[in-house]
Amino acid sequence: MKKMGFRFKKTDRGRHLIMERQDIVLARCKYLRRIKENRESCNPRPEIYIDETWVNQNECVDKCWTNCDGKLGPKVKSGRGARFIIVHAGGVDGFVPGGLHMFRSKNGNKGDYHDSMNHENFCSWLDNKLLPNIPPKSLIIMDNASYHCKVVNKAPIQSSRKQEILKWLVENDLPHNPLHTKAELLHIVKKNKEKEEYAVDEMAEKHGHEVLRLPPYHCQLNPIELIWAQVKEEIRKNNSNSSQKLRVIEELTRKAMNNVTVENWKKCVAHTKKVEDEFRRNDIVVNHMVEKFIINISNDSSSDEE
């Protein structure tokens, strides 16, 4: 639960309540507000959702498959073998034409698929396959993967030298007194950390687009997740008795991607909008309920966190 952004708080009566972290709530509220503003504006930006997923070589087979003669074949553990990484984007008009990027992972099926991606690969796909093929002035929606969030003007930290801190403050036009202590200067940095800029955002802005990041731990707000589920289900159905050759897996994957229709995308986006509305309603209810509790914040301790 802690990894999902929750923590315990103690009330005045000694009871513990599980509550969502305020930074997660803030990120969700900012996201929902921005996307609503876009849809209600006079000239809304087309929403383009991007994401990465994977398909394992033997992920979609039964534990025990049959040969063409009907005899039982060897058991194959789900997920064994090579892995394909898929990067794509889409919206209410379907997948972005020419936006598919599919490659074999160098790490096999070990670890998360994020281990097979890096900032350079992602930016290459963004520059060559996404940005040239999406509508003008799009709103590009993505998650907070590390390769989506490389900072080009990273804010100084505690271990930074005072001259580095002063340089960052000057470059970002932030008022400060060079004679102040390092601690005072870092306090100014902390209050203005939003001045940090992401490389991906700069690339998109040069083409007239805007990047909007999903709140952490909220993949359900990305309709492409439902598209991935549809694609993998089709692969699973057509691969139950396959020889599991990489060529076959790649062909099945591309075919499943091509079978995703505009209508499929519209349904997934419509479902996501319902999830957004549910979050808005729940946030109002939770905010009202929390107001009724007296949270004893001063008694927070490491034992409370546990």
Side-chain angles (χ1 to χ4, degrees):
M1 294 294 286
K2 287 183 179 179
K3 290 181 179 179
M4 294 173 63
F6 291 87
R7 61 175 57 186
F8 282 102
K9 289 291 184 182
K10 187 186 292 184
T11 67
D12 58 334
R13 296 184 180 181
R15 294 183 178 182
H16 284 80
L17 299 175
I18 189 163
M19 299 184 66
E20 203 170 14
R21 270 175 28 203
Q22 289 303 301
D23 58 319
I24 304 297
V25 176
L26 175 61
R28 181 173 64 242
C29 291
K30 289 176 67 176
Y31 173 83
L32 294 174
R33 185 172 294 110
R34 176 65 192 99
I35 204 163
K36 184 178 181 180
E37 288 173 352
N38 179 63
R39 292 169 184 164
E40 294 177 350
S41 66
C42 298
N43 297 298
R45 292 176 178 266
E47 296 171 12
I48 302 296
Y49 297 87
I50 72 173
D51 195 30
E52 304 85 16
T53 190
W54 76 94
V55 174
N56 287 335
Q57 184 177 1
N58 296 318
E59 179 183 12
C60 305
V61 300
D62 298 328
K63 289 185 177 180
C64 193
W65 48 270
T66 58
N67 297 317
C68 57
D69 58 3
K71 295 181 180 179
L72 289 176
K75 289 185 177 181
V76 181
K77 291 185 178 181
S78 176
R80 292 296 179 89
R83 169 180 288 176
F84 283 107
I85 307 299
I86 303 171
V87 189
H88 214 335
V92 291
D93 294 324
F95 277 123
V96 172
L100 174 62
H101 180 39
M102 183 174 174
F103 62 96
R104 183 176 174 180
S105 171
K106 294 181 180 179
N107 299 328
N109 65 353
K110 297 180 180 179
D112 196 328
Y113 68 91
H114 290 102
D115 298 335
S116 300
M117 287 290 293
N118 56 46
H119 178 70
E120 289 71 26
N121 287 340
F122 179 75
C123 285
S124 176
W125 170 78
L126 192 77
D127 196 33
N128 297 308
K129 293 202 169 192
L130 183 72
L131 296 179
N133 296 314
I134 58 178
K137 298 183 178 180
S138 290
L139 182 64
I140 304 173
I141 301 166
M142 63 181 74
D143 61 25
N144 297 274
S146 59
Y147 44 85
H148 295 167
C149 302
K150 184 176 180 179
V151 179
V152 293
N153 63 332
K154 193 171 183 180
I157 56 177
Q158 188 67 40
S159 59
S160 301
R161 295 178 180 273
K162 184 176 180 180
Q163 287 303 319
E164 295 172 339
I165 302 173
L166 290 170
K167 181 182 177 182
W168 190 86
L169 293 172
V170 171
E171 290 176 347
N172 289 278
D173 297 322
L174 294 173
H176 64 282
N177 187 338
L179 299 179
H180 282 179
T181 64
K182 179 179 175 179
E184 291 173 304
L185 296 174
L186 280 173
H187 180 66
I188 299 175
V189 171
K190 186 177 180 180
K191 292 195 300 181
N192 293 275
K193 245 196 147 180
E194 69 275 4
K195 294 288 185 179
E196 287 186 332
E197 297 177 356
Y198 297 115
V200 168
D201 296 36
E202 287 190 347
M203 291 177 63
E205 288 170 4
K206 287 179 180 178
H207 290 77
H209 307 297
E210 177 187 342
V211 173
L212 177 63
R213 284 176 175 78
L214 293 160
Y217 315 111
H218 285 73
C219 61
Q220 65 269 46
L221 294 178
N222 193 342
I224 202 171
E225 296 288 353
L226 300 173
I227 298 296
W228 293 150
Q230 176 183 329
V231 168
K232 292 187 178 184
E233 179 63 23
E234 182 173 336
I235 297 171
R236 186 176 298 111
K237 289 180 179 179
N238 295 325
N239 194 39
S240 59
N241 294 312
S242 173
S243 62
Q244 315 314 319
K245 292 181 179 178
L246 285 175
R247 178 181 56 80
V248 175
I249 300 299
E250 183 175 4
E251 290 176 355
L252 289 174
T253 302
R254 292 184 181 277
K255 182 180 179 181
M257 300 285 282
N258 291 333
N259 287 340
V260 176
T261 65
V262 173
E263 188 61 30
N264 294 144
W265 264 101
K266 287 182 178 179
K267 288 180 179 179
C268 292
V269 172
H271 173 81
T272 301
K273 289 181 178 179
K274 291 180 180 179
V275 176
E276 293 172 3
D277 290 338
E278 185 177 357
F279 271 121
R280 291 186 181 98
R281 290 193 298 269
N282 290 344
D283 282 342
I284 293 173
V285 172
V286 171
N287 185 65
H288 178 70
M289 292 178 63
V290 169
E291 285 295 317
K292 296 181 178 180
F293 291 100
I294 301 176
I295 307 300
N296 188 5
I297 299 178
S298 61
N299 290 335
D300 279 356
S301 65
S302 58
S303 60
D304 291 335
E305 293 299 323
E306 293 298 320

